[in-house]
């Protein structure tokens, strides 16, 4: 049937019959079969090499140096742009986009190693463990409270230029590590070139420490102290909370 001009155009090669838009003309489909529609400027850009059609300038995603400026000037705009791009992706590829919408976004705070309530169980377990590097029973074993790795303390069996304890601190925590020394129950913190004695996590029935295990009393985990240690590790506040820092000079 005729349109407002009294004429109905002939169908194109795909059998589609153009209809007039606000300009009185509907553009011919592009190479991908998409027919552009006019935006506020009267023209919708051609799709790029990946088949995506650029949005109007007001919603164009920022890049390069303009990203930071756009974020601070109009954060709502960049967030809405991200949401629009996600919606477009899900519309085009529902199978690939579904996991992005149904992902579990719960965030759990990092935690230190789970420790037994009684120190005797910790002692008996690690006193029989061998070092993963030298495959021998350490004379003075220490356990990393971040990942649970057993290292040799104050021995040269695993030294290869850098002490094993220092090397593990670099690999595990970018220079920061927390060790519990099995034969003394003392917790030691290493932070870069410095070391300090944090204290003990296991106390006796009277709430007192038994450093070096000289009294032979049963020791129990102080959850309150462990929470404090975990909080200091999580907030990177060892520098402010620990006072007796000293240089280790790679001699541990």
């Amino acid at each position: 049937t005729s349109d407002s001009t009294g004429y109905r155009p002939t169908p194109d090669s795909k059998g589609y019959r153009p209809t007039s838009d606000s300009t009185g003309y509907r553009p011919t489909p592009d190479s991908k079969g998409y027919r552009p529609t006019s935006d506020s400027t009267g023209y919708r850009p051609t799709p790029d090499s990946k088949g995506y059609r650029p949005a109007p300038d007001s919603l164009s995603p920022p890049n390069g140096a303009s990203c930071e400026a756009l974020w601070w000037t109009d954060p709502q705009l960049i967030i809405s742009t991200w949401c629009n791009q996600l919606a477009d992706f899900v519309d085009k590829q529902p199978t690939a986009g579904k996991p992005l919408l149904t992902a579990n976004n719960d965030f759990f705070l990092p935690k230190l190693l789970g420790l037994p309530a009684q120190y005797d169980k910790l002692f008996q377990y690690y006193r029989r463990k061998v070092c993963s590097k030298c495959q021998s029973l350490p004379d003075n074993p220490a356990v990393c409270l971040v990942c649970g790795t057993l290292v040799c303390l104050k021995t040269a069996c695993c030294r290869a230029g850098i002490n094993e304890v220092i090397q593990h601190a670099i690999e595990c925590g970018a220079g920061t590590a927390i060790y519990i020394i099995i034969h003394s129950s003392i917790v030691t913190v290493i932070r870069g070139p410095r070391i300090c004695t944090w204290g003990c996590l296991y106390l006796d029935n009277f709430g007192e420490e038994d450093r070096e295990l000289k009294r032979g009393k049963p020791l129990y985990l102080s959850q309150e102290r462990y929470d404090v240690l975990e909080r200091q590790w999580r907030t990177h506040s060892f520098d402010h909370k620990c006072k007796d820092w000293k240089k280790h000079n790679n001699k541990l």
Side-chain angles (χ1 to χ4, degrees):
T1 58
S2 60
D3 55 9
S4 58
T5 63
Y7 172 73
R8 189 179 185 190
T10 305
D12 56 19
S13 59
K14 295 182 179 290
Y16 295 101
R17 190 181 303 276
T19 58
S20 59
D21 55 8
S22 58
T23 63
Y25 174 72
R26 189 179 185 191
T28 305
D30 55 22
S31 59
K32 296 182 179 291
Y34 294 102
R35 189 182 303 278
T37 58
S38 59
D39 56 7
S40 57
T41 63
Y43 175 72
R44 190 179 183 190
T46 305
D48 56 20
S49 59
K50 296 186 177 181
Y52 293 100
R53 192 181 302 277
D57 292 339
S58 61
L59 293 178
S60 298
N63 52 30
S66 63
C67 182
E68 183 177 357
L70 179 59
W71 174 258
W72 289 111
T73 55
D74 195 352
Q76 263 189 329
L77 176 58
I78 192 171
I79 294 174
S80 64
T81 303
W82 291 339
C83 293
N84 291 335
Q85 291 176 343
L86 176 61
D88 291 340
F89 177 76
V90 174
D91 289 341
K92 294 178 181 179
Q93 302 186 31
T95 304
K98 184 177 179 181
L100 299 176
L101 301 177
T102 59
N104 184 4
N105 295 321
D106 292 339
F107 176 74
F108 298 96
L109 292 175
K111 291 183 174 294
L112 293 177
L113 187 69
L115 296 177
Q118 298 179 358
Y119 188 75
D120 181 65
K121 293 183 178 180
L122 183 72
F123 182 85
Q124 294 297 334
Y125 178 78
Y126 281 106
R127 67 184 289 269
R128 300 171 186 170
K129 298 280 287 185
V130 298
C131 176
S132 59
K133 289 191 174 182
C134 62
Q135 299 299 319
S136 62
L137 288 173
D139 294 332
N140 197 9
V143 178
C144 175
L145 291 180
V146 177
C147 65
T149 300
L150 181 72
V151 297
C152 297
L153 185 67
K154 298 181 180 179
T155 55
C157 60
C158 299
R159 185 188 299 268
I162 302 179
N163 189 284
E164 181 188 8
V165 177
I166 307 300
Q167 183 62 38
H168 179 75
I170 296 173
E171 296 173 354
C172 181
T176 301
I178 310 170
Y179 296 103
I180 180 169
I181 305 174
I182 299 300
H183 290 171
S184 66
S185 76
I186 296 175
V187 172
T188 299
V189 177
I190 294 178
R191 189 162 174 81
R194 301 174 301 162
I195 185 174
C196 78
T197 299
W198 188 87
C200 294
L201 295 174
Y202 286 85
L203 309 176
D204 61 15
N205 289 326
F206 299 98
E208 297 179 352
E209 299 180 354
D210 187 9
R211 299 194 178 190
E212 307 299 335
L213 306 180
K214 294 181 178 180
R215 293 188 287 116
K217 299 292 184 180
L219 301 177
Y220 304 94
L221 178 65
S222 172
Q223 191 60 48
E224 182 180 357
R225 288 197 177 194
Y226 203 25
D227 292 341
V228 171
L229 177 66
E230 188 174 68
R231 191 182 313 115
Q232 292 176 1
W233 165 69
R234 190 184 297 151
T235 57
H236 304 277
S237 57
F238 286 126
D239 291 338
H240 308 288
K241 302 297 182 181
C242 302
K243 304 301 181 182
D244 57 341
W245 290 102
K246 58 183 179 181
K247 297 284 187 177
H248 55 66
N249 298 321
N250 197 28
K251 296 178 180 179
L252 293 175

